[in-house]
Amino acid sequence: MSTDQPRDDDPFQKRPPEPPPAGSPYGGAYGSPPPGGGPYGDDPYGGGPGGGGPGNPYGDQYGASDPLAGMPPLASRLRRLVARIIDGLLVSVPISLIFSLAWSDYDPWNDNAKSTSLSIVIAVVYFFYEGMMLTSRGQTVGKMAMKIRVAMLDNGAIPAGRAGWTRAAVYSLPEVVPCCGFLFWLVNVLWCTWDKPYQQCLHDKAAQTVVVSAAQ
C-alpha cells in the first residue's frame, strides 16, 4: 500500500482510499471483501465485476469507480450562465459604443451589413479575451465573479496553451458564420444541460475541460 500523501498543488485533491478500521469482520490486515464483493455484489451498483449494471449508468465507460470522485464540485449551470453574461457585456458594450461613434449614422435595426460586421468584431475580440484569460489563469472576469473556473478534465490544471485557445475558438468563432454559426453556438451552450456526468458543452469536449467551483 502506497504511503504517498496527496499533493498540495493537486486541485482535484485525489486521495487514496482509506483502509477499513482494525478488526474488520472481513479479516486481513486491512480487511478483505466478503464473498461476492460486499452486500451488493462485486459492484456497489449491483452490476457485477464490469460495473455496468442498471444502477450504474457510467460503469461501461468508467468501470465501477465514480467518475467524479476526487473532483471539486461541478459549477452550477446558473453560475456558468451568469458568468457568460458578464463576459459578454464586458466585451460587447465597449465595442458597440466605439462602433457607434465611428459610424454616427449606424442604425442597428436597418443596417444589416454593419450589424454583421459588428457581430464579427465582437466574436473575434471575445475569442482573444477568453483565450488569454483561460490560458493564463483558467478564469475570465465573469468566472472570477461567480467563483468558478475551467480545469483540464484529466488533472485539474489550468488549460494553458492549445486547450484554452481551442475552448475559446469553439465557443466564439462559429458566430462569424451567418445563420449557421448562431445555430451551432446555441446547440453548443445548451449541450451542458443534458451532458453526463461532467455537464460539458461542446467547447469543453473539444478542449477536454470541465467547469468546477473555484477554491475558496
Short mmCIF file of all heavy atoms in Angstrom, two decimals, residues 86-130:
data_model
loop_
_atom_site.label_atom_id
_atom_site.label_comp_id
_atom_site.label_asym_id
_atom_site.label_seq_id
_atom_site.Cartn_x
_atom_site.Cartn_y
_atom_site.Cartn_z
N ILE A 86 -21.85 38.22 -17.94
CA ILE A 86 -20.90 39.26 -17.50
C ILE A 86 -19.81 39.45 -18.55
O ILE A 86 -19.50 40.59 -18.94
CB ILE A 86 -20.29 38.89 -16.14
CG1 ILE A 86 -21.36 38.92 -15.05
CG2 ILE A 86 -19.14 39.83 -15.79
CD1 ILE A 86 -20.88 38.40 -13.71
N ASP A 87 -19.24 38.35 -19.02
CA ASP A 87 -18.17 38.46 -20.02
C ASP A 87 -18.69 39.05 -21.33
O ASP A 87 -18.00 39.85 -21.97
CB ASP A 87 -17.56 37.08 -20.28
CG ASP A 87 -16.75 36.56 -19.11
OD1 ASP A 87 -16.16 37.39 -18.39
OD2 ASP A 87 -16.71 35.34 -18.90
N GLY A 88 -19.90 38.62 -21.73
CA GLY A 88 -20.46 39.15 -22.96
C GLY A 88 -20.66 40.65 -22.91
O GLY A 88 -20.35 41.37 -23.87
N LEU A 89 -21.20 41.13 -21.79
CA LEU A 89 -21.38 42.58 -21.64
C LEU A 89 -20.05 43.31 -21.59
O LEU A 89 -19.89 44.40 -22.16
CB LEU A 89 -22.19 42.87 -20.38
CG LEU A 89 -23.66 42.40 -20.40
CD1 LEU A 89 -24.30 42.63 -19.03
CD2 LEU A 89 -24.44 43.13 -21.49
N LEU A 90 -19.08 42.71 -20.90
CA LEU A 90 -17.77 43.33 -20.76
C LEU A 90 -17.09 43.55 -22.11
O LEU A 90 -16.39 44.55 -22.32
CB LEU A 90 -16.89 42.45 -19.87
CG LEU A 90 -15.51 43.00 -19.48
CD1 LEU A 90 -15.67 44.24 -18.62
CD2 LEU A 90 -14.72 41.94 -18.75
N VAL A 91 -17.33 42.63 -23.04
CA VAL A 91 -16.71 42.74 -24.36
C VAL A 91 -17.58 43.54 -25.32
O VAL A 91 -17.09 44.43 -26.04
CB VAL A 91 -16.43 41.33 -24.93
CG1 VAL A 91 -15.96 41.42 -26.38
CG2 VAL A 91 -15.38 40.61 -24.10
N SER A 92 -18.87 43.24 -25.36
CA SER A 92 -19.72 43.80 -26.40
C SER A 92 -20.09 45.27 -26.21
O SER A 92 -20.18 46.02 -27.19
CB SER A 92 -21.01 42.98 -26.53
OG SER A 92 -21.77 43.04 -25.33
N VAL A 93 -20.29 45.69 -24.96
CA VAL A 93 -20.72 47.07 -24.73
C VAL A 93 -19.67 48.08 -25.18
O VAL A 93 -19.99 49.00 -25.95
CB VAL A 93 -21.11 47.28 -23.25
CG1 VAL A 93 -21.33 48.76 -22.96
CG2 VAL A 93 -22.38 46.49 -22.92
N PRO A 94 -18.40 47.98 -24.76
CA PRO A 94 -17.41 48.96 -25.23
C PRO A 94 -17.23 48.94 -26.76
O PRO A 94 -17.11 49.99 -27.38
CB PRO A 94 -16.12 48.53 -24.52
CG PRO A 94 -16.56 47.74 -23.35
CD PRO A 94 -17.81 47.04 -23.79
N ILE A 95 -17.23 47.74 -27.34
CA ILE A 95 -17.04 47.66 -28.79
C ILE A 95 -18.22 48.29 -29.52
O ILE A 95 -18.05 49.00 -30.51
CB ILE A 95 -16.84 46.19 -29.22
CG1 ILE A 95 -15.53 45.66 -28.66
CG2 ILE A 95 -16.86 46.07 -30.74
CD1 ILE A 95 -15.30 44.19 -28.94
N SER A 96 -19.43 48.04 -29.03
CA SER A 96 -20.62 48.62 -29.65
C SER A 96 -20.59 50.15 -29.56
O SER A 96 -20.97 50.85 -30.52
CB SER A 96 -21.88 48.08 -29.00
OG SER A 96 -21.98 46.69 -29.17
N LEU A 97 -20.15 50.67 -28.43
CA LEU A 97 -20.06 52.13 -28.29
C LEU A 97 -19.04 52.72 -29.26
O LEU A 97 -19.30 53.74 -29.91
CB LEU A 97 -19.70 52.49 -26.85
CG LEU A 97 -20.79 52.24 -25.79
CD1 LEU A 97 -20.25 52.52 -24.40
CD2 LEU A 97 -22.03 53.08 -26.08
N ILE A 98 -17.89 52.08 -29.35
CA ILE A 98 -16.85 52.56 -30.29
C ILE A 98 -17.37 52.47 -31.72
O ILE A 98 -17.15 53.39 -32.53
CB ILE A 98 -15.57 51.73 -30.12
CG1 ILE A 98 -14.97 51.98 -28.74
CG2 ILE A 98 -14.56 52.05 -31.21
CD1 ILE A 98 -13.80 51.08 -28.40
N PHE A 99 -18.05 51.39 -32.04
CA PHE A 99 -18.58 51.20 -33.38
C PHE A 99 -19.60 52.30 -33.72
O PHE A 99 -19.60 52.86 -34.81
CB PHE A 99 -19.24 49.82 -33.48
CG PHE A 99 -19.46 49.33 -34.87
CD1 PHE A 99 -18.47 48.61 -35.54
CD2 PHE A 99 -20.67 49.55 -35.52
CE1 PHE A 99 -18.68 48.15 -36.82
CE2 PHE A 99 -20.88 49.09 -36.80
CZ PHE A 99 -19.89 48.38 -37.46
N SER A 100 -20.46 52.62 -32.76
CA SER A 100 -21.48 53.65 -32.99
C SER A 100 -20.85 55.03 -33.15
O SER A 100 -21.32 55.85 -33.96
CB SER A 100 -22.48 53.66 -31.82
OG SER A 100 -23.16 52.44 -31.75
N LEU A 101 -19.78 55.30 -32.40
CA LEU A 101 -19.10 56.58 -32.54
C LEU A 101 -18.37 56.70 -33.87
O LEU A 101 -18.30 57.77 -34.47
CB LEU A 101 -18.12 56.77 -31.37
CG LEU A 101 -18.75 56.96 -29.99
CD1 LEU A 101 -17.66 56.99 -28.91
CD2 LEU A 101 -19.59 58.24 -29.95
N ALA A 102 -17.84 55.57 -34.34
CA ALA A 102 -17.11 55.59 -35.61
C ALA A 102 -18.06 55.79 -36.79
O ALA A 102 -17.70 56.40 -37.80
CB ALA A 102 -16.34 54.29 -35.78
N TRP A 103 -19.29 55.25 -36.68
CA TRP A 103 -20.29 55.42 -37.72
C TRP A 103 -21.52 56.05 -37.09
O TRP A 103 -22.41 55.36 -36.60
CB TRP A 103 -20.67 54.08 -38.36
CG TRP A 103 -19.62 53.57 -39.30
CD1 TRP A 103 -19.47 53.88 -40.61
CD2 TRP A 103 -18.57 52.65 -38.99
NE1 TRP A 103 -18.39 53.23 -41.15
CE2 TRP A 103 -17.81 52.46 -40.18
CE3 TRP A 103 -18.17 51.97 -37.83
CZ2 TRP A 103 -16.70 51.63 -40.24
CZ3 TRP A 103 -17.08 51.15 -37.88
CH2 TRP A 103 -16.36 50.98 -39.07
N SER A 104 -21.55 57.38 -37.09
CA SER A 104 -22.62 58.11 -36.39
C SER A 104 -23.99 57.83 -36.98
O SER A 104 -25.01 57.98 -36.30
CB SER A 104 -22.33 59.62 -36.42
OG SER A 104 -22.19 60.06 -37.76
N ASP A 105 -24.05 57.43 -38.24
CA ASP A 105 -25.34 57.16 -38.88
C ASP A 105 -25.73 55.69 -38.79
O ASP A 105 -26.65 55.24 -39.46
CB ASP A 105 -25.30 57.58 -40.35
CG ASP A 105 -24.21 56.85 -41.14
OD1 ASP A 105 -23.30 56.28 -40.50
OD2 ASP A 105 -24.28 56.85 -42.39
N TYR A 106 -25.03 54.92 -37.96
CA TYR A 106 -25.29 53.49 -37.86
C TYR A 106 -26.65 53.24 -37.21
O TYR A 106 -26.94 53.72 -36.12
CB TYR A 106 -24.18 52.82 -37.05
CG TYR A 106 -24.47 51.39 -36.64
CD1 TYR A 106 -24.78 50.42 -37.59
CD2 TYR A 106 -24.44 51.02 -35.29
CE1 TYR A 106 -25.06 49.11 -37.20
CE2 TYR A 106 -24.71 49.71 -34.90
CZ TYR A 106 -25.01 48.77 -35.86
OH TYR A 106 -25.28 47.48 -35.48
N ASP A 107 -27.49 52.45 -37.89
CA ASP A 107 -28.79 52.07 -37.39
C ASP A 107 -28.80 50.55 -37.23
O ASP A 107 -28.88 49.81 -38.23
CB ASP A 107 -29.89 52.50 -38.36
CG ASP A 107 -31.29 52.16 -37.83
OD1 ASP A 107 -31.39 51.52 -36.77
OD2 ASP A 107 -32.28 52.54 -38.50
N PRO A 108 -28.72 50.04 -36.01
CA PRO A 108 -28.61 48.59 -35.82
C PRO A 108 -29.83 47.81 -36.31
O PRO A 108 -29.74 46.61 -36.54
CB PRO A 108 -28.43 48.45 -34.30
CG PRO A 108 -29.01 49.70 -33.73
CD PRO A 108 -28.72 50.76 -34.72
N TRP A 109 -30.96 48.49 -36.47
CA TRP A 109 -32.18 47.79 -36.89
C TRP A 109 -32.31 47.70 -38.40
O TRP A 109 -33.01 46.81 -38.91
CB TRP A 109 -33.42 48.49 -36.32
CG TRP A 109 -33.36 48.60 -34.82
CD1 TRP A 109 -33.14 49.72 -34.08
CD2 TRP A 109 -33.52 47.53 -33.89
NE1 TRP A 109 -33.13 49.43 -32.75
CE2 TRP A 109 -33.36 48.09 -32.59
CE3 TRP A 109 -33.76 46.16 -34.01
CZ2 TRP A 109 -33.45 47.32 -31.44
CZ3 TRP A 109 -33.85 45.40 -32.85
CH2 TRP A 109 -33.71 45.98 -31.59
N ASN A 110 -31.68 48.60 -39.12
CA ASN A 110 -31.86 48.64 -40.58
C ASN A 110 -30.59 48.43 -41.38
O ASN A 110 -30.66 48.12 -42.57
CB ASN A 110 -32.49 49.99 -40.99
CG ASN A 110 -33.86 50.19 -40.37
OD1 ASN A 110 -34.69 49.28 -40.40
ND2 ASN A 110 -34.10 51.37 -39.82
N ASP A 111 -29.44 48.58 -40.75
CA ASP A 111 -28.17 48.43 -41.46
C ASP A 111 -27.61 47.04 -41.20
O ASP A 111 -26.80 46.83 -40.30
CB ASP A 111 -27.19 49.52 -41.00
CG ASP A 111 -26.05 49.69 -41.98
OD1 ASP A 111 -25.73 48.73 -42.70
OD2 ASP A 111 -25.47 50.79 -42.01
N ASN A 112 -28.05 46.06 -41.99
CA ASN A 112 -27.65 44.67 -41.75
C ASN A 112 -26.17 44.43 -41.97
O ASN A 112 -25.55 43.63 -41.27
CB ASN A 112 -28.46 43.74 -42.67
CG ASN A 112 -29.93 43.70 -42.29
OD1 ASN A 112 -30.29 43.90 -41.12
ND2 ASN A 112 -30.79 43.46 -43.26
N ALA A 113 -25.60 45.11 -42.95
CA ALA A 113 -24.19 44.90 -43.27
C ALA A 113 -23.31 45.32 -42.09
O ALA A 113 -22.39 44.60 -41.68
CB ALA A 113 -23.81 45.67 -44.52
N LYS A 114 -23.59 46.48 -41.53
CA LYS A 114 -22.79 46.96 -40.40
C LYS A 114 -23.07 46.13 -39.14
O LYS A 114 -22.16 45.90 -38.33
CB LYS A 114 -23.06 48.44 -40.15
CG LYS A 114 -22.47 49.36 -41.23
CD LYS A 114 -22.73 50.82 -40.92
CE LYS A 114 -22.13 51.71 -42.00
NZ LYS A 114 -22.42 53.14 -41.76
N SER A 115 -24.30 45.68 -38.97
CA SER A 115 -24.62 44.84 -37.81
C SER A 115 -23.85 43.53 -37.88
O SER A 115 -23.34 43.04 -36.86
CB SER A 115 -26.12 44.57 -37.75
OG SER A 115 -26.85 45.76 -37.51
N THR A 116 -23.75 42.97 -39.08
CA THR A 116 -22.98 41.73 -39.25
C THR A 116 -21.51 41.97 -38.96
O THR A 116 -20.84 41.16 -38.30
CB THR A 116 -23.14 41.19 -40.67
OG1 THR A 116 -24.53 40.91 -40.91
CG2 THR A 116 -22.33 39.92 -40.87
N SER A 117 -21.00 43.10 -39.43
CA SER A 117 -19.59 43.44 -39.17
C SER A 117 -19.34 43.60 -37.68
O SER A 117 -18.31 43.13 -37.16
CB SER A 117 -19.22 44.74 -39.90
OG SER A 117 -19.37 44.59 -41.30
N LEU A 118 -20.27 44.24 -36.99
CA LEU A 118 -20.12 44.42 -35.54
C LEU A 118 -20.12 43.07 -34.83
O LEU A 118 -19.30 42.84 -33.93
CB LEU A 118 -21.25 45.29 -35.01
CG LEU A 118 -21.30 45.50 -33.49
CD1 LEU A 118 -20.02 46.16 -32.99
CD2 LEU A 118 -22.52 46.34 -33.11
N SER A 119 -20.99 42.16 -35.24
CA SER A 119 -21.05 40.83 -34.62
C SER A 119 -19.75 40.07 -34.81
O SER A 119 -19.26 39.39 -33.90
CB SER A 119 -22.22 40.02 -35.20
OG SER A 119 -23.45 40.65 -34.93
N ILE A 120 -19.17 40.19 -36.00
CA ILE A 120 -17.90 39.51 -36.28
C ILE A 120 -16.78 40.08 -35.40
O ILE A 120 -15.97 39.34 -34.84
CB ILE A 120 -17.54 39.62 -37.77
CG1 ILE A 120 -18.55 38.80 -38.60
CG2 ILE A 120 -16.12 39.15 -38.03
CD1 ILE A 120 -18.37 38.97 -40.09
N VAL A 121 -16.75 41.41 -35.29
CA VAL A 121 -15.72 42.05 -34.47
C VAL A 121 -15.85 41.60 -33.01
O VAL A 121 -14.85 41.26 -32.36
CB VAL A 121 -15.80 43.58 -34.58
CG1 VAL A 121 -14.87 44.24 -33.57
CG2 VAL A 121 -15.44 44.04 -35.99
N ILE A 122 -17.06 41.58 -32.50
CA ILE A 122 -17.27 41.17 -31.11
C ILE A 122 -16.84 39.73 -30.90
O ILE A 122 -16.18 39.39 -29.91
CB ILE A 122 -18.75 41.35 -30.72
CG1 ILE A 122 -19.10 42.84 -30.64
CG2 ILE A 122 -19.05 40.67 -29.38
CD1 ILE A 122 -20.57 43.11 -30.39
N ALA A 123 -17.18 38.85 -31.85
CA ALA A 123 -16.80 37.43 -31.72
C ALA A 123 -15.29 37.25 -31.71
O ALA A 123 -14.75 36.46 -30.93
CB ALA A 123 -17.42 36.63 -32.86
N VAL A 124 -14.59 37.98 -32.57
CA VAL A 124 -13.13 37.85 -32.65
C VAL A 124 -12.48 38.40 -31.38
O VAL A 124 -11.56 37.79 -30.81
CB VAL A 124 -12.59 38.57 -33.90
CG1 VAL A 124 -11.07 38.61 -33.88
CG2 VAL A 124 -13.08 37.87 -35.16
N VAL A 125 -12.95 39.56 -30.91
CA VAL A 125 -12.39 40.13 -29.69
C VAL A 125 -12.67 39.22 -28.50
O VAL A 125 -11.79 39.00 -27.64
CB VAL A 125 -12.96 41.54 -29.43
CG1 VAL A 125 -12.53 42.07 -28.07
CG2 VAL A 125 -12.51 42.50 -30.53
N TYR A 126 -13.86 38.63 -28.45
CA TYR A 126 -14.19 37.72 -27.35
C TYR A 126 -13.28 36.49 -27.39
O TYR A 126 -12.86 35.99 -26.34
CB TYR A 126 -15.65 37.28 -27.46
CG TYR A 126 -16.18 36.62 -26.20
CD1 TYR A 126 -16.94 37.33 -25.29
CD2 TYR A 126 -15.91 35.28 -25.92
CE1 TYR A 126 -17.42 36.73 -24.13
CE2 TYR A 126 -16.38 34.67 -24.77
CZ TYR A 126 -17.12 35.41 -23.88
OH TYR A 126 -17.58 34.81 -22.72
N PHE A 127 -12.96 36.01 -28.58
CA PHE A 127 -12.05 34.88 -28.72
C PHE A 127 -10.70 35.18 -28.09
O PHE A 127 -10.17 34.39 -27.30
CB PHE A 127 -11.89 34.53 -30.20
CG PHE A 127 -10.69 33.70 -30.50
CD1 PHE A 127 -10.59 32.38 -30.06
CD2 PHE A 127 -9.63 34.23 -31.23
CE1 PHE A 127 -9.45 31.61 -30.35
CE2 PHE A 127 -8.51 33.47 -31.52
CZ PHE A 127 -8.42 32.16 -31.07
N PHE A 128 -10.13 36.33 -28.41
CA PHE A 128 -8.82 36.68 -27.84
C PHE A 128 -8.93 36.94 -26.33
O PHE A 128 -8.04 36.54 -25.56
CB PHE A 128 -8.25 37.91 -28.55
CG PHE A 128 -7.69 37.61 -29.90
CD1 PHE A 128 -8.36 37.97 -31.05
CD2 PHE A 128 -6.47 36.94 -30.04
CE1 PHE A 128 -7.85 37.68 -32.30
CE2 PHE A 128 -5.94 36.64 -31.28
CZ PHE A 128 -6.64 37.00 -32.42
N TYR A 129 -10.01 37.59 -25.91
CA TYR A 129 -10.22 37.85 -24.48
C TYR A 129 -10.26 36.54 -23.70
O TYR A 129 -9.53 36.35 -22.72
CB TYR A 129 -11.50 38.65 -24.30
CG TYR A 129 -12.11 38.59 -22.92
CD1 TYR A 129 -11.57 39.29 -21.86
CD2 TYR A 129 -13.26 37.81 -22.70
CE1 TYR A 129 -12.14 39.23 -20.59
CE2 TYR A 129 -13.83 37.74 -21.44
CZ TYR A 129 -13.28 38.45 -20.38
OH TYR A 129 -13.84 38.38 -19.14
N GLU A 130 -11.12 35.62 -24.14
CA GLU A 130 -11.26 34.38 -23.39
C GLU A 130 -10.01 33.51 -23.49
O GLU A 130 -9.58 32.91 -22.51
CB GLU A 130 -12.48 33.58 -23.88
CG GLU A 130 -12.66 32.27 -23.14
CD GLU A 130 -14.04 31.68 -23.28
OE1 GLU A 130 -14.97 32.42 -23.67
OE2 GLU A 130 -14.20 30.49 -23.00
#
